[in-house]
Amino acid sequence: MKLTSLALLTVAMTFGVNAADAPKELNLGILGGQNATQQIGDNQCVKDFFDKELNVDTKMRNSSDYSGVIQGLLGNKIDMVLSMSPASYASVYLQNPKAVDVVGIVVDDKDGSQGYHSVVIVKADSPYKKLEDLKGKSFGMADPDSTSGFLMPNQAFKKEFGGTVDDKYNNTFSSVTFSGGHEQDVLGVLNGQFEGAVTWTSMIGDYDKGYTSGAFTRMMRMDQPDLMKKIRIIWQSPLIPNGPILVSNNLPADFKQKLMAAIKKLDKEDHSCFVKAVGGAQHIGPATVADYQNIIDMKRDLMKGSRG
């Protein structure tokens, strides 16, 4: 009898501690590089959902660049990210493999694909038809921690032209500029700042609608309905795995499990909200660190090169 009472008391005390440990605030990390006002708007429904589901005050931590979210996850200032760049996840993993857990990967609603592409775009009325046509021209990259906005094209350009980003790939381009993000790259091409630039897209679905997901669909929804008539795609990368959904391992264990369940519930019960937040008609599928090993290896090699 005493043992039973003691066991019940222990359970009650443990529950009390866990309840007390449950955070009152939840920090949602949002990658920079796109219109901040739109990103906050696209995630307002996410905040409303988690506030109600987990009895928290969800703060939207919208960083001006990818590094802010990386440092937020490593420094325990960000608790979850619904749409992480694979290269940014690799940066987190290489600095602290136990910093975050992978909840899943976003999967295309229509065809079940789990990837996207880096693409090089030029103005539709320009003479450029292929990558080589941009020799001697200005070029825009997105963010150093972006997979499609730097990591993949950087690897491809080093193979194609030699050199590195620092010497403009053997001076193939007249300039290579980090614009800060995908939207800035596209706008840079449209306004003549760059002759060519990289961004990301699924390359699935209707071209005129900006495909099923990517920078084009976000911009068309915002204030560029005729975007696809103004640009031309002249290069695309191999398939890149869609970004992981991440939660911080710094959270109390019980709360972390509730958060992971809540993320999956958001996808199922308010799918239109989830679609807005991740930037495309996608749902959550299973994933592990192994799905991103190739990106982690590429990022490790890049970091070694920058130190060398």
Side-chain angles (χ1 to χ4, degrees):
M1 189 71 174
K2 284 181 181 177
L3 281 173
T4 306
S5 300
L6 182 60
L8 288 170
L9 180 62
T10 304
V11 169
M13 286 174 66
T14 305
F15 179 80
V17 169
N18 287 340
D21 283 350
K24 299 289 187 286
E25 193 173 282
L26 183 65
N27 295 290
L28 169 64
I30 303 171
L31 288 177
Q34 287 163 357
N35 182 281
T37 304
Q38 185 194 13
Q39 284 187 311
I40 296 295
D42 285 349
N43 282 275
Q44 183 61 46
C45 60
V46 177
K47 170 182 166 54
D48 295 342
F49 182 89
F50 284 111
D51 284 1
K52 184 177 178 183
E53 185 71 18
L54 298 171
N55 192 29
V56 292
D57 178 14
T58 304
K59 304 289 188 185
M60 289 183 268
R61 306 301 185 189
N62 190 68
S63 175
S64 60
D65 59 20
Y66 288 33
S67 178
V69 174
I70 292 168
Q71 296 310 315
L73 287 168
L74 290 168
N76 302 321
K77 305 293 186 190
I78 287 176
D79 301 315
M80 68 170 174
V81 183
L82 292 181
S83 186
M84 189 65 164
S85 149
S88 295
Y89 166 59
S91 292
V92 172
Y93 182 86
L94 288 168
Q95 291 176 72
N96 182 359
K98 297 183 178 176
V100 295
D101 269 358
V102 175
V103 178
I105 186 173
V106 288
V107 179
D108 190 270
D109 282 348
K110 290 185 179 176
D111 69 357
S113 60
Q114 298 186 13
Y116 63 103
H117 297 269
S118 172
V119 293
V120 172
I121 62 163
V122 297
K123 269 187 175 179
D125 59 3
S126 76
Y128 315 121
K129 306 288 188 189
K130 56 188 185 299
L131 207 53
E132 293 76 16
D133 295 340
L134 290 173
K135 287 184 178 180
K137 307 301 180 185
S138 56
F139 196 85
M141 294 285 194
D143 185 292
D145 289 302
S146 170
T147 318
S148 55
F150 177 60
L151 188 65
M152 291 298 275
N154 174 67
Q155 186 185 54
F157 293 179
K158 285 198 294 186
K159 284 182 181 175
E160 180 84 12
F161 305 119
T164 67
V165 67
D166 296 325
D167 66 8
K168 297 168 285 193
Y169 304 102
N170 268 340
N171 291 308
T172 297
F173 303 107
S174 61
S175 63
V176 179
T177 306
F178 284 102
S179 70
H182 292 281
E183 183 185 338
Q184 291 93 316
D185 267 3
V186 178
L187 293 175
V189 168
L190 294 179
N191 67 27
Q193 181 185 0
F194 309 126
E195 303 292 339
V198 290
T199 189
W200 75 283
T201 178
S202 67
M203 296 296 287
I204 294 167
D206 189 342
Y207 172 90
D208 292 328
K209 293 180 180 176
Y211 298 113
T212 55
S213 62
F216 304 141
T217 54
R218 282 187 184 274
M219 293 181 71
M220 290 174 75
R221 198 170 72 239
M222 185 172 58
D223 58 4
Q224 295 277 351
D226 297 325
L227 177 63
M228 303 311 286
K229 294 183 175 70
K230 300 176 184 177
I231 62 161
R232 179 166 61 247
I233 295 169
I234 64 168
W235 175 88
Q236 73 178 62
S237 73
L239 194 69
I240 302 166
N242 283 337
I245 298 159
L246 303 176
V247 297
S248 170
N249 262 327
N250 191 54
L251 293 166
D254 283 0
F255 183 81
K256 187 179 83 169
Q257 292 304 315
K258 288 177 183 175
L259 174 57
M260 291 167 77
I263 292 170
K264 292 174 181 176
K265 187 175 179 180
L266 169 67
D267 175 30
K268 286 186 168 59
E269 296 192 4
D270 194 348
H271 188 61
S272 61
C273 172
F274 184 81
V275 164
K276 280 177 74 176
V278 299
Q282 298 165 320
H283 61 275
I284 301 173
T288 66
V289 176
D291 294 294
Y292 297 97
Q293 193 60 54
N294 184 44
I295 301 294
I296 290 167
D297 292 343
M298 284 172 59
K299 188 71 179 183
R300 184 186 287 112
D301 289 344
L302 183 66
M303 289 166 74
K304 280 179 186 171
S306 66
R307 286 195 296 267

